[in-house]
Structures are given as structure tokens and as C-alpha cells.
Amino acid sequence: MSQFKLQWVIDETHAGMLIRDYLKEKEISKTALTDIKFNGGRILVNGAEMTVRYELKQGDLLEVYYPPEKHSEGIVEEKIPLLILYEDPYVLVIDKPAAMNTIPSREHPTGSVANALVGYYQSINLQSTAHIVTRLDRDTSGIVLIAKHRHIHHLFSKQQKSGGVHRTYEAFVHGALPTKKGTITAPIGRKKDSIIEREVTDDGQYACTHYIVKRNYPLFTHIQLRLETGRTHQIRVHMKHIGHPLLGDDLYGGLRELIQRQALHCRKISFFHPIYQKEMMFSSPLPEEMTRLFE
């Protein structure tokens, strides 16, 4: 099994730094360094093992091997095909179908993206577990961003907090919206007496959703959405709140006459690659059960 590693060629500006200071600059914590030191990781300079007190020189090749990760005991590895849009040693971008959980649940302990990832990693000899950066509801289709290691997940989590991961959704909602574009700002919290449902409530968490109307149809409207926050069921709750629930979303007042699941798809994602240091963007076409609504 291959171990996850990071590597850098030391430039002139970092020559003379101790390894521990250089790695701190690369956001590798003291806790991570302790884990590397005592649990099977390695720090190499030009192929030779070094301590964090080594003084780096220009042109040095610094490699950090992390200890092997074990997947959670609650995630059963399964050989489930994944539609992979992009893959490198650090990141996976997949296109998730509807009727597939992102992570296992009590009702659906198997068949999730996480189960499929653990099985896939086993097949490619990668010692890691499921680090899902952007989750989707079971019946929402579209793009899911995955980190291949906990350190990459950590870097993406920081990026998400600063608004650096952008997702664009498309949906079909009941009725005609009053304006061609708008912003819904309404706090969301858990609905009383429900472990699943959310609602707009004064004591909820701040939530903000922007929408643009793409096209009006006699019974529904095709819209594009962008989130400023990532609350559970945010789009579904906000669209219900303004009186235009998603088609097929029976949990939040949508009817299933035209589609048998909520008509919501994560269409695009963009992010700054934390290792390659460049902006990346991926898109996914609307699935057939949503394009049929055009007909």
C-alpha cells in the first residue's frame, strides 16, 4: 500500500529554515508531526531521514510521508463504480447520482459514496479513508469534492471557511418566481420533533442563498443557485420558505407528479488546489430525469 506524501524543492527564500518551521508554514501542525514521528511516518531530505531540527538548504528535496490511514470501522468497503471527473494524488472530483448517500446512515448503512471510496482506495492500494469535502443529500445529484488525505481535507476546510470553494446548483421549483434574481437570507435550524427536517427559525444559523431564473415554464421555473453558507438542506428550506419548493421534494412541500426526487443538481464547482496552487473548475450535465422536464 502506498503512503500519502508531500514534497517540496527548497528555494532560496526558504534556505536556512528548520524543517519544523518550514512545515508549520505549510500548515502541518505539531500534532501531525508527532503522528508522523511515532506512528510510521517519515521525513526525508534528499532521500535520507532527518529530524525537524535539520536546517534546509536551497535545492533540497524535502519529503514528508504520513502514517497510513485506517478507514472507519462503520464504513464497509464496497466495489461500487464511481463516475470520476478528475483525480490526482490529492483530490478526487466525482459526479454523484441521486438515490446515493454521501456517507452511510442508519437507514442506508451501505451503498454510499464513502463505501465506494474505501473500496476504490483498496483497489488502487491507497491507505486512506473517506474525506468528503462537499456533501450532497441522498437525492441531490451532482459534483462532490473529495480529499484523499486528512491534511488535504484540513486545507479545504480552511478554504471553505474563507469562501474559496464555490458550488453552483440548478433546480426546478414550483410556480413563477417574482423576480429574475434574488437573495434569500433566513436563519436555518433543526425542526422541533424531527431529526431530519430543517426550517427557517429565529434562533437558527445564518444562511444565505442567491438565485437567478434561467427559464419559466407553465407550471415551474428552472433556476440557478449559489450558496454563501452550507447549512443542511439550505436550498430546499429556503425555496420552501419563499413559497416555491423544489419539484419532487415531498419533505418540503414539493409534488412528485413530474419527478420522483427533489429536482436539485450540483452543476459546477471551483476551488483553489491546495497543492498545485491553481484555480480549478469542473461541471456536470443535468441528469436525464431533470432534462426530461424540458420536454
Side-chain angles (χ1 to χ4, degrees):
M1 286 262 184
S2 60
Q3 280 181 267
F4 176 81
K5 78 168 182 176
L6 297 170
Q7 66 178 38
W8 304 269
V9 175
I10 305 305
D11 58 22
E12 182 181 1
T13 60
H14 293 96
M17 287 184 75
L18 299 183
I19 286 178
R20 68 183 176 207
D21 297 326
Y22 183 84
L23 294 181
K24 182 179 179 181
E25 187 177 295
K26 296 299 181 182
E27 300 193 54
I28 298 175
S29 66
K30 288 183 179 179
T31 303
L33 286 176
T34 300
D35 190 35
I36 290 165
K37 182 176 180 180
F38 293 106
N39 292 311
R42 291 182 298 159
I43 297 174
L44 306 181
V45 176
N46 304 323
E49 289 212 37
M50 293 292 172
T51 72
V52 294
R53 294 182 297 277
Y54 173 83
E55 188 176 294
L56 293 163
K57 300 175 182 63
Q58 184 178 354
D60 278 348
L61 173 62
L62 172 62
E63 298 173 288
V64 176
Y65 287 82
Y66 278 78
E69 285 192 55
K70 296 180 180 178
H71 66 79
S72 305
E73 291 184 3
I75 303 178
V76 179
E77 59 186 66
E78 295 183 86
K79 307 300 182 188
I80 302 171
L82 290 168
L83 179 51
I84 297 174
L85 303 179
Y86 173 79
E87 180 176 15
D88 65 33
Y90 314 101
V91 171
L92 261 175
V93 180
I94 69 162
D95 197 348
K96 184 187 86 68
M100 184 181 197
N101 277 27
T102 306
I103 60 172
S105 67
R106 187 172 59 186
E107 294 80 14
H108 303 96
T110 59
S112 73
V113 172
N115 295 112
L117 281 174
V118 171
Y120 175 63
Y121 291 161
Q122 180 74 22
S123 72
I124 62 172
N125 293 321
L126 178 66
Q127 291 181 309
S128 188
T129 189
H131 294 286
I132 297 170
V133 180
T134 59
R135 296 183 183 182
L136 294 178
D137 295 341
R138 175 178 171 82
D139 284 335
T140 298
S141 55
I143 297 176
V144 175
L145 173 61
I146 296 151
K148 283 187 167 182
H149 187 267
R150 61 178 175 267
H151 177 65
I152 305 301
H153 198 175
H154 162 70
L155 296 178
F156 272 129
S157 295
K158 291 191 69 173
Q159 194 176 144
Q160 283 179 297
K161 288 177 182 175
S162 63
V165 178
H166 301 282
R167 287 188 283 176
T168 302
Y169 293 79
E170 289 189 23
F172 294 88
V173 300
H174 285 281
L177 276 73
T179 57
K180 290 293 183 183
K181 62 181 180 179
T183 296
I184 307 162
T185 304
I188 293 174
R190 192 184 295 274
K191 188 174 183 180
K192 293 177 181 177
D193 304 322
S194 175
I195 61 171
I196 299 173
E197 202 170 345
R198 266 60 174 179
E199 64 180 355
V200 169
T201 175
D202 290 340
D203 61 354
Q205 292 179 294
Y206 171 77
C208 182
T209 304
H210 305 281
Y211 71 84
I212 296 173
V213 171
K214 290 181 68 69
R215 186 173 175 184
N216 290 302
Y217 293 85
L219 299 176
F220 56 85
T221 304
H222 181 191
I223 62 173
Q224 177 180 294
L225 304 113
R226 180 175 61 82
L227 304 183
E228 276 194 20
T229 52
R231 309 305 176 203
T232 300
H233 297 179
Q234 180 171 319
I235 290 173
R236 301 165 67 188
V237 172
H238 272 175
M239 297 316 297
K240 175 187 177 180
H241 178 64
I242 65 169
H244 298 278
L246 302 183
L247 297 186
D249 190 2
D250 56 357
L251 182 64
Y252 291 105
L255 302 179
R256 291 201 163 189
E257 295 169 346
L258 298 176
I259 187 170
Q260 295 301 303
R261 54 100 168 178
Q262 65 249 18
L264 182 61
H265 182 75
C266 185
R267 190 86 157 80
K268 294 180 182 178
I269 192 167
S270 64
F271 56 87
F272 188 73
H273 196 294
I275 303 301
Y276 295 157
Q277 296 287 291
K278 64 178 182 178
E279 195 74 24
M280 305 191 83
M281 192 276 286
F282 301 94
S283 62
S284 159
L286 288 177
E288 183 186 0
E289 66 268 24
M290 289 180 71
T291 58
R292 280 201 302 264
L293 296 168
F294 297 149
E295 299 170 358

